[in-house]
Amino acid sequence: MKKRVAVASAVMLSAACIIPLAGCSQKQETVVLRVANWEEYIDLGGWDEDELIDIGDGIIGVNSMVDDFTEWFNSNPEFGFDVKVEYSTFGTNEDLYNRLSLGDVYDLVCPSDYMIMKLLAEDAVEPYSDRFLDGTDNYYTAGVSPYIDGVFKENGWYKYAACYMWGTTGLVYNPEKINGIEDVSSWDILVNKDYKRQVTVKDNVRDAYFAALGIINGEKLMSGGLDRGELSRIMNDTDGQAVAKAQDVLKAIKENVYSFETDAGKSDMVTGKVIANYQWSGDAVFIMDEAEDDANSTELWYSVPAECANLWFDGWVKLKKGIDGDERRNTAAEAFVNFLSRPENAVRNMYYIGYTSAIAGELVFDYMEWNYGAEDGQDSVDYDVSYFFGGENVLSAPTENFGFDNGAINRGRQLFAQYPPENVIDRSVVMLDFGDRLGDINRMWINVRCLDLLDISPVVVGVVAGIAALSVAGILLYVFRYRLFINYKPKKGYEKLQNK
C-alpha cells in the first residue's frame, strides 16, 4: 500500500460493466459529468514499473482512473453518447456543503456518512436506479462487502449511496516512546499529562467531540454488556449537559496536546516530532508506510481505543440538482461508480491512497494476502476477516504485527488498520449527523478553539479595559493638544472663511 500523488491504470474493459441506455445506436453530443471527491482520494496513475501488483493478470496504474473511465465509456457504442468528466476535489465535508450552498452544481459527490444523512434530510439526493441496484452485471452490487451492504441498509442509505471507502479512527503511535500499551488503548492519552505536548488531535469538531465523549463516558463504556444501540446513544449524545462536559474536556485536551491538526499530524509522526496522533485508519496506513521508508526506518503502530471507536464511511451520491432528470447524465454517474467498483480498480485505488475499499471478493482478498500474508516458516496467526468478505476468509498473517489483550487483537500494523478484526467492529459506532444541535456544538467548538470570555479572569479583563481606556485618552489628548495646552488661534484665512 502506498499513498501517492501522481496517476492511474488503463486496461480496456468490456461493455458488461454497466447496463447502458437501451435503444441508442448513434452517438449524441458529449455529456459533461461533474464529479467532486476528496483530495488525493483516487488513483491518479503514473506508477513505476516496479509497482506492479503481482496478482491476477497483474495490476498497475498507467493513466488516471478518470481518464481510464472516460476512454472505456467513450469506446463503448452501446451507451450511445460520449462523456467528459469535470473532476473537482474538496478538503472537508463542510467545504463541499458550502460549495453546494453557494450554487456549485455537481452530479456525483463523495461525502462522509453524516453529510450523506444531512443531504438526505434536505431531499438533495437522487436515488440509484433499479437497473443499478438490481443489475446482475453490476460490479458494485455484486462486489460490495456484505458487512458494508448491511450497514448501509440498516441506516437507510442503500438506495441513495454507494460506499467507496471506509475505516475507523484511532491512534498512530511510536511503541518505543510510550510508557505502556494501556496509554494508547484509551482516549485518556489526550489528557494524560505524561504526554504533554507529544500528541496531536484532529482539528474538526466531530472527531474531537467523539474523543471527548469517549473520555467522559470511559467508565460506562468499559463496564461491558453494552449493545450496539446503547453504544450509539452514548457516543452520539448531544444534549446540553453532554456538550457542556465535552467543552471542558476539549479545553483540557487543548492544554495538553501538541496541536490540533488537519494534515500536519502525518509528517509530525513520521519525523518524530510527536509520539502519538489521533488519525483516520487510511492515513494511519500512509504514516506507517512513510515511517518505514524514512531514513530512520521507524516502526509505528495503530491502536483503536478500548472504550469505543468511530466507524466512518464515504459514499458516492447523485445530486438532484445536478442530474436534473437527465437520463444520460444519470447513466454516466452510475457507470462511473460501477467502473470504480471493478475489483482491479478497487485494488488500484487502495494501493494509491492507503484507504480500504468497500469492495470485497477474491481479487481484493488476494491483494490483502499479497501485502500482508505471512511468509513460509514465519510465525503466524489466523486473521479472520470473514465478516467483511463473507464465507470463511482467514488470512495467515505474521504474529509480530499484532498486539493481543486476552487473546483479542486490539492494535497492530497496516493490516489491522485496513481491516480491523470483528472484535473492534463490535465496539465501534457510526457518528450521526448533529441535526438541529449543530449550532450549539459549533458554538462550543468556537469556545474551545478560540477565545472564551468566560475563561478570562476579572483581573485580566480589568487590566485590558484600563489599557484600552488609557489608549483612547492618549489619542484624544494628542488630537486636541493645541486647544488644551497651547494658546491656539486659527489662521486668518480660516477665520475669514468662517465669517463668510
Side-chain angles (χ1 to χ4, degrees), residues 112 122 138 147 164 181 201 223 242 272 280 299 344 347 382 384 478 486:
S112 299
E122 295 175 357
N138 183 297
Y147 167 68
Y164 181 50
I181 290 300
V201 65
S223 64
W280 303 299
E299 184 175 286
E344 59 267 38
V347 168
D382 288 339
D384 193 344
Y478 179 79
I486 301 173

Side-chain angles (χ1 to χ4, degrees), residues 7-141:
V7 177
S9 140
V11 175
M12 290 303 292
L13 308 168
S14 74
C17 177
I18 181 76
I19 300 89
L21 277 173
C24 295
S25 58
Q26 280 191 320
K27 292 276 187 177
Q28 302 174 27
E29 71 176 86
T30 299
V31 169
V32 176
L33 180 65
R34 298 157 295 190
V35 178
N37 192 11
W38 293 84
E39 296 167 354
E40 299 177 16
Y41 214 43
I42 196 169
D43 178 14
L44 298 177
W47 299 18
D48 296 329
E49 290 183 6
D50 61 1
E51 294 182 88
L52 174 74
I53 299 172
D54 191 17
I55 59 174
D57 295 328
I59 299 173
I60 191 167
V62 178
N63 307 310
S64 75
M65 189 69 70
V66 172
D67 286 346
D68 280 351
F69 164 73
T70 305
E71 183 180 356
W72 165 75
F73 190 99
N74 293 345
S75 67
N76 186 343
E78 295 188 46
F79 283 113
F81 62 94
D82 284 348
V83 70
K84 175 184 177 183
V85 179
E86 287 185 356
Y87 187 86
S88 305
T89 61
F90 55 87
T92 67
N93 284 291
E94 288 67 32
D95 177 20
L96 171 64
Y97 187 78
N98 288 339
R99 292 190 202 177
L100 296 175
S101 300
L102 291 171
D104 286 6
V105 178
Y106 302 104
D107 308 307
L108 188 67
V109 296
C110 189
S112 299
D113 37 42
Y114 75 94
M115 188 56 67
I116 293 173
M117 295 181 228
K118 185 176 182 65
L119 293 171
L120 282 171
E122 295 175 357
D123 194 29
V125 179
E126 179 80 18
Y128 278 88
S129 67
D130 289 340
R131 71 169 180 265
F132 180 89
L133 296 173
D134 303 329
T136 55
D137 292 325
N138 183 297
Y139 282 101
Y140 177 77
T141 54

Side-chain angles (χ1 to χ4, degrees), residues 139-151:
Y139 282 101
Y140 177 77
T141 54
V144 67
S145 159
Y147 167 68
I148 301 291
D149 191 49
V151 171

Side-chain angles (χ1 to χ4, degrees), residues 247 251 443-452 455:
Q247 177 170 306
K251 286 181 178 178
R443 281 188 287 275
M444 175 274 294
W445 183 240
I446 290 170
N447 287 340
V448 171
R449 296 295 288 118
C450 305
L451 183 64
D452 187 354
D455 289 339

Side-chain angles (χ1 to χ4, degrees), residues 55-56 59 142-143 343-344 347 350 359-370 388-390 393 419:
I55 59 174
I59 299 173
E344 59 267 38
V347 168
M350 282 196 289
I359 301 302
E362 183 178 355
L363 188 69
V364 176
F365 185 89
D366 289 347
Y367 172 65
M368 181 178 62
E369 188 171 35
W370 180 79
F388 183 83
F389 287 91
N393 279 280
Y419 292 97

Side-chain angles (χ1 to χ4, degrees), residues 417-430:
Q418 280 217 298
Y419 292 97
E422 196 164 8
N423 63 286
V424 171
I425 297 295
D426 288 342
R427 68 169 189 267
S428 304
V429 297
V430 175

